[in-house]
Amino acid sequence: MVLRILIILGLLLAVISGVSLASENSQAAVASDTSAEITYPGLGELGSRTTAVTAFVGKAEEQLVQVAQLADAEQRLHELTKQLTGLNDEIKPFGPPEDWYVDRLSLYIRQYAQLQEGLASLQDSLANRQGQIDAVRKRLTTEQEFWKGWAASLSDRQQKLPPQTLTQVNQQLTKLNKATGSSSLKIVSLQEKISVLQGGLIATIDHLTSSLERLRQATFRKNAPSFVSSRFYQQFTPGLLDEARKGLLTALRVDPSFWEEGGLSLALMFVLFCGGSGTIWYYRKRFEQTEEWQFVLSHPLAVGCFLAVILFWWLTPSIPTLVRFLLQVAAVLSAVIMTMSLVENRRQGLTLWFAGIISLVTSGVRMASLPQPLFRTYIALLALIFIPLLLQQIKYSRKQRGTAQGKLFRAVSRLAIIVLAVSFVGQLAGFINFSTWLIQATFETALTILFVHMILLLAGGAIDVSLTFFQYRQRDFFLRFGYELATRLKRLLKVLIVGFAVVYLLPVWRIFTTFNEAWNGILSVGFTFGETYITVEMLGLAFFSFYLAMQISWLLQGMSDTQLFARRTVDRGVRDAIKKLIHYAIILIGFLIALGFVGMKLQNFIVLLSAFGVGIGFGLQDIVNNFLSGLILLFERPIKVGDGVLIDNEYGTVSRIGLRSTVVENLNQAELIVPNSQIISQKVTNWTLSNRRVRLVLPVGVAYGSDLEKVLAILTRVAAEHPDVMKDPKPMPLFIQFGGSSLDFELRVWLDNIDNRPRVQNELLLAIDRCFRIEGIEIPFPQHDLHLRSVAPGIFSSGKLAGFAGDDNPPGSEGSEPELT
């Protein structure tokens, strides 16, 4: 067995090596063909060559005309330049970026980065056009060299190209050469303009990013006068209100181009709002049993608004400040309305409303870039108002009966009190960066958790509703595997959404600067394994591909079982074999793809297989033997799942055939783990290989002197009256022999299912005993005769033989032969 495996592995290595060698030979042949000298034709191909050149020139000129049409690119560049100028004018009143808030820096970094992406996309488009011109120029150069070489070749052979034809070809190629130069010059000119804008844009982004990084590093430093310092009150000057007004006007400004570019997203948002709300309103009674959607069904308008805002936010990368604030208002209010169904009492609901309004007011203050002294005063007042309110709510909640919702509310309230108290102390001491960041991070974290909870509930309800619809339509797969499919989808969705939320919160808590930096930073973490640097991204892709292969395998097995095999009469063993092969094939594909993601090439995998083959030769023979025996069991099918087998004189049912072992469940519901090689190499009794019929033999004994014909008639009648006894073959009662204590009979009957054997045997025996009692037929117990040839003198008189002590003439006395029966 081991030798066969090593031979197979050697053949695989030889085939792969041959394929690689053939590939190298083909590449070498191509290289030699390209390096070979060009063979020039004779004058007979002049006409076809001239026609080909004319066609090439005409097609190339049309292509150059299309490539040189730069009106769209120039218009796009004009729009981007206008947006850049608007952003530059917008940030001028704010002063140096070092004095900005973190929110403002992050906002403008994102907007400048989006402009950078637009310029990069435009530059790539122009580079693509330049590549098309280069391709035409390369073909043009090839044609010029060919005609020049052809003319020289014909001259060496005492022949000559017609001067008129040669002149015409040269003129066409020269004209095309000028057209390529002109088109290329236009594109290069536009590329230079874009490069100039990109240079200034990159410098601005770097300046803002460095300012943001310095500001983040100064989070825990004192960077403003405390409330008890006179310098703090000296900041309240008449110009403070003018600065606040300018910030508000800047925030209210919306670029008209946004309504043109975001028109489709706005239309989709409106359609989703109307469609989602109407659908929930129409089907709300049908899905009342869906537990996750109870808070949804009672607020269809809020759910539609929430989904529409999330979609618009996702589809629109660049959103003006005012529009972002309005979307946040819609999202927070709709989330609060939906959450009202989850609170414990009315007071908690009012507190939730108040918290939502305060968060919106805080977002509006940050949007308007309120001057630092006013913003610090607002934060301090917020803490002074909210802390007593939360303390009162906690006190009132304790008087009520303790529930899970009440405990959660009190825990969140205590956390909010701690955050507000720490933020208030920070503002008093002059740590405004720390205080502002703590308030902002806490609010954003709470909103993120709320949104994630809402999305998970909505998605879970949507999955349940979809499965309910398919089950209602009597889809076999969903009727059988619907619950497990829903569990798998919810688990995957939960991992994805929670993972995304965690990465989103990393910049909020200033572990990273931006979301992209957090995402790229996590994915780039890795370690060196041999000569390969394995990153988290590689491991994640490998794990996801293998996990996806497992889910696809499960899905295909379930669909084949319900959709394919259920409509055809397919043996269960064939079903299991096909499903196992599907599973192994998909898992193998997923495993190979996962190895590719972690940087392991096929050549390295072959080397690994070779090393594995050596390991097989030393100590893994049993494992490989069981594995190959498992494959034989799947293909040959001497046993299959559901068969009744007798292994080691113990009957059981095959419940699973695995790669290494087969699981047999005996009558005590204990599971026997049997190696596959043992089933292949040893004797196994399969009671249900070709069918599940079985013969049941019941031995019956009656007393000597019984009516034998009546006994046979009773046995025949009892077998015929039982519904599970087969009529063909007919039941057969037989008189077997004259036994030592009884007349021995056998009742032989056939059953169509071996699983009924114990029950039918019990019922037949009870029926036979009942009929024998009615007919007066005796079932004797075993009897034995004992003859005593000699007995010691005085044994009866001494009473040692208890049954005969006291007899006047006991057996064994002189002149008699004692007999005990």
Side-chain angles (χ1 to χ4, degrees):
M1 182 65 69
V2 175
L3 181 60
R4 292 180 182 177
I5 296 171
L6 293 177
I7 292 175
I8 293 174
L9 291 176
L11 290 176
L12 286 174
L13 288 173
V15 170
I16 294 175
S17 301
V19 172
S20 302
L21 183 60
S23 177
E24 294 176 358
N25 292 336
S26 62
Q27 294 176 0
V30 172
S32 62
D33 290 342
T34 56
S35 61
E37 294 183 358
I38 299 176
T39 301
Y40 294 101
L43 287 174
E45 295 188 14
L46 179 63
S48 60
R49 291 285 180 172
T50 304
T51 303
V53 169
T54 303
F56 160 67
V57 171
K59 185 177 179 180
E61 288 178 345
E62 293 179 0
Q63 184 178 3
L64 291 175
V65 170
Q66 295 178 357
V67 168
Q69 291 179 356
L70 302 175
D72 294 340
E74 291 176 349
Q75 178 63 26
R76 179 58 179 164
L77 178 60
H78 175 72
E79 294 175 357
L80 292 174
T81 304
K82 183 179 178 182
Q83 294 179 15
L84 179 59
T85 304
L87 276 180
N88 292 334
D89 294 339
E90 187 175 329
I91 66 175
K92 283 181 179 179
F94 299 147
E98 291 78 5
D99 299 333
W100 294 2
Y101 296 124
V102 174
D103 293 342
R104 182 184 293 173
L105 284 169
S106 301
L107 172 63
Y108 284 105
I109 287 175
R110 287 196 300 267
Q111 294 184 2
Y112 277 112
Q114 290 166 3
L115 287 178
Q116 173 66 13
E117 292 176 0
L119 290 175
S121 175
L122 185 57
Q123 192 74 278
D124 292 339
S125 174
L126 295 178
N128 184 30
R129 298 190 184 196
Q130 197 69 262
Q132 298 179 23
I133 295 176
D134 292 339
V136 172
R137 185 181 287 111
K138 183 178 180 180
R139 173 71 184 279
L140 174 63
T141 303
T142 302
E143 290 291 338
Q144 288 176 337
E145 293 177 354
F146 174 80
W147 282 89
K148 184 178 179 181
W150 193 12
S153 176
L154 290 176
S155 178
D156 294 340
R157 287 181 282 178
Q158 305 299 322
Q159 295 179 357
K160 186 178 181 181
L161 284 172
Q164 183 177 0
T165 302
L166 184 59
T167 302
Q168 180 182 359
V169 169
N170 289 332
Q171 288 178 351
Q172 290 179 341
L173 296 177
T174 302
K175 180 181 178 182
L176 181 60
N177 191 19
K178 293 180 179 179
T180 55
S182 176
S183 300
S184 178
L185 185 61
K186 293 180 181 179
I187 296 176
V188 168
S189 177
L190 194 59
Q191 286 179 319
E192 290 178 350
K193 295 179 181 179
I194 297 175
S195 298
V196 172
L197 288 178
Q198 284 181 319
L201 193 57
I202 292 174
T204 303
I205 294 176
D206 290 341
H207 187 195
L208 295 178
T209 304
S210 60
S211 300
L212 179 61
E213 186 63 27
R214 286 194 296 269
L215 190 58
R216 290 181 182 276
Q217 293 175 357
T219 300
F220 301 98
R221 299 175 187 171
K222 182 178 180 180
N223 48 4
S226 63
F227 279 7
V228 297
S229 174
S230 60
R231 290 188 300 164
F232 171 75
Y233 300 100
Q234 292 175 0
Q235 297 176 353
F236 290 89
T237 60
L240 203 61
L241 295 178
D242 293 337
E243 184 179 351
R245 183 177 57 83
K246 291 179 181 180
L248 180 61
L249 293 177
T250 303
L252 296 177
R253 187 185 307 160
V254 179
D255 190 353
S257 62
F258 167 77
W259 305 110
E260 299 176 1
E261 298 176 358
L264 180 60
S265 299
L266 289 171
L268 288 175
M269 182 177 70
F270 181 74
V271 170
L272 181 60
F273 168 71
C274 297
S277 303
T279 303
I280 295 173
W281 179 270
Y282 183 78
Y283 290 102
R284 66 187 185 279
K285 293 185 178 179
R286 179 178 298 181
F287 304 120
E288 288 180 349
Q289 302 300 324
T290 305
E291 185 177 352
E292 290 89 345
W293 274 32
Q294 292 305 312
F295 78 103
V296 173
L297 299 176
S298 56
H299 304 291
L301 293 178
V303 175
C305 179
F306 183 79
L307 293 177
V309 169
I310 295 298
L311 177 66
F312 181 80
W313 213 306
W314 179 61
L315 291 177
T316 309
S318 179
I319 305 177
T321 305
L322 178 60
V323 178
R324 181 183 293 105
F325 175 72
L326 294 177
L327 292 176
Q328 188 175 358
V329 171
V332 171
L333 293 181
S334 58
V336 170
I337 292 174
M338 291 187 291
T339 312
M340 289 293 293
S341 303
L342 306 176
V343 298
E344 189 178 24
N345 50 56
R346 183 172 177 272
R347 295 175 66 91
Q348 293 181 4
L350 293 176
T351 304
L352 184 63
W353 269 110
F354 188 62
I357 293 174
I358 291 299
S359 67
L360 292 177
V361 172
T362 304
S363 298
V365 169
R366 286 163 45 201
M367 176 199 72
S369 299
L370 202 66
Q372 188 183 99
L374 297 178
F375 185 75
R376 291 183 62 187
T377 304
Y378 168 76
I379 295 297
L381 292 176
L382 183 66
L384 292 176
I385 295 174
F386 233 91
I387 289 177
L389 177 63
L390 291 175
L391 289 174
Q392 183 182 4
Q393 289 298 320
I394 292 174
K395 182 178 179 181
Y396 179 80
S397 179
R398 286 176 177 174
K399 296 179 181 179
Q400 307 297 322
R401 284 189 172 183
T403 61
Q405 295 178 356
K407 293 179 180 178
L408 179 62
F409 176 80
R410 288 191 294 272
V412 173
S413 299
R414 293 190 185 98
L415 179 61
I417 290 173
I418 294 173
V419 170
L420 290 173
V422 173
S423 176
F424 179 74
V425 173
Q427 290 291 348
L428 289 178
F431 293 87
I432 60 172
N433 281 344
F434 169 74
S435 177
T436 306
W437 163 73
L438 185 61
I439 290 289
Q440 173 192 351
T442 303
F443 270 115
E444 288 197 25
T445 302
L447 289 176
T448 302
I449 293 174
L450 178 62
F451 286 174
V452 167
H453 182 63
M454 295 295 178
I455 293 173
L456 288 176
L457 288 177
L458 290 173
I463 292 173
D464 291 338
V465 168
S466 302
L467 294 178
T468 303
F469 171 77
F470 286 111
Q471 290 174 352
Y472 177 77
R473 300 294 296 271
Q474 297 297 315
R475 303 294 185 184
D476 295 338
F477 175 79
F478 295 97
L479 289 174
R480 184 173 175 182
F481 300 103
Y483 178 77
E484 186 175 357
L485 178 62
T487 303
R488 290 171 180 260
L489 290 177
K490 289 178 181 179
R491 186 188 304 121
L492 178 61
L493 193 65
K494 186 175 182 179
V495 170
L496 294 177
I497 294 177
V498 172
F500 180 84
V502 170
V503 178
Y504 172 79
L505 289 176
L506 291 178
V508 173
W509 290 99
R510 298 192 178 178
I511 300 175
F512 292 94
T513 304
T514 61
F515 176 82
N516 291 333
E517 181 184 342
W519 181 260
N520 296 329
I522 293 175
L523 295 182
S524 61
V525 175
F527 59 93
T528 302
F529 182 75
E531 297 181 354
T532 305
Y533 184 75
I534 300 177
T535 62
V536 173
E537 180 180 8
M538 298 166 64
L539 291 176
L541 291 174
F543 174 79
F544 181 76
S545 62
F546 191 73
Y547 175 80
L548 187 62
M550 294 179 62
Q551 303 310 310
I552 293 176
S553 171
W554 175 83
L555 183 64
L556 290 180
Q557 290 183 73
M559 295 190 68
S560 61
D561 215 8
T562 55
Q563 304 297 324
L564 180 62
F565 298 142
R567 300 177 182 178
R568 296 170 175 84
T569 305
V570 181
D571 183 73
R572 183 172 180 178
V574 177
R575 294 186 181 188
D576 294 334
I578 293 176
K579 290 193 296 183
K580 287 290 184 182
L581 291 176
I582 291 174
H583 175 70
Y584 295 151
I586 295 179
I587 292 298
L588 179 61
I589 293 174
F591 179 70
L592 294 177
I593 293 176
L595 288 180
F597 278 128
V598 296
M600 182 174 290
K601 299 181 181 179
L602 185 60
Q603 297 89 329
N604 300 333
F605 185 64
I606 296 300
V607 174
L608 183 63
L609 283 180
S610 303
F612 185 66
V614 176
I616 292 173
F618 282 102
L620 300 178
Q621 298 97 328
D622 292 339
I623 295 177
V624 175
N625 189 14
N626 289 324
F627 172 74
L628 295 179
S629 299
L631 295 180
I632 294 174
L633 290 177
L634 290 177
F635 283 101
E636 186 180 344
R637 293 184 294 111
I639 65 171
K640 54 185 179 294
V641 176
D643 281 354
V645 296
L646 190 66
I647 298 178
D648 292 337
N649 295 323
E650 188 168 4
Y651 179 81
T653 303
V654 178
S655 60
R656 185 177 67 85
I657 300 177
L659 282 177
R660 190 196 65 84
S661 61
T662 297
V663 180
V664 179
E665 183 179 340
N666 63 13
L667 297 179
N668 297 324
Q669 292 189 345
E671 294 180 333
L672 308 177
I673 311 300
V674 184
N676 292 330
S677 59
Q678 181 178 341
I679 298 177
I680 293 296
S681 60
Q682 297 183 10
K683 179 180 177 181
V684 176
T685 302
N686 191 340
W687 287 81
T688 58
L689 177 61
S690 57
N691 57 71
R692 301 192 66 83
R693 289 197 311 174
V694 64
R695 191 181 71 167
L696 178 61
V697 179
L698 300 178
V700 179
V702 298
Y704 278 88
S706 301
D707 189 345
L708 302 185
E709 297 297 334
K710 183 182 291 186
V711 171
L712 292 174
I714 291 174
L715 294 179
T716 302
R717 184 175 72 250
V718 168
E721 291 177 353
H722 198 284
D724 291 332
V725 174
M726 298 180 64
K727 302 301 185 288
D728 186 19
K730 294 181 179 180
M732 183 178 295
L734 297 174
F735 176 46
I736 301 300
Q737 64 180 355
F738 294 95
S741 303
S742 63
L743 301 173
D744 296 335
F745 290 81
E746 280 186 359
L747 176 60
R748 300 177 180 178
V749 298
W750 286 88
L751 308 179
D752 58 356
N753 192 342
I754 191 175
D755 296 336
N756 298 330
R757 182 177 178 178
R759 177 179 58 82
V760 174
Q761 179 176 350
N762 174 68
E763 294 173 354
L764 288 176
L765 290 176
L766 290 176
I768 291 172
D769 179 72
R770 184 171 58 253
C771 292
F772 280 2
R773 291 179 184 274
I774 294 174
E775 298 294 336
I777 296 176
E778 180 183 357
I779 300 178
F781 53 85
Q783 302 179 26
H784 299 280
D785 291 339
L786 178 63
H787 298 272
L788 300 179
R789 296 295 181 183
S790 62
V791 180
I795 191 171
F796 293 102
S797 60
S798 63
K800 293 182 178 180
L801 198 58
F804 300 95
D807 288 352
D808 294 334
N809 188 19
S813 60
E814 187 176 346
S816 66
E817 181 178 350
E819 179 177 347
L820 293 178
T821 302

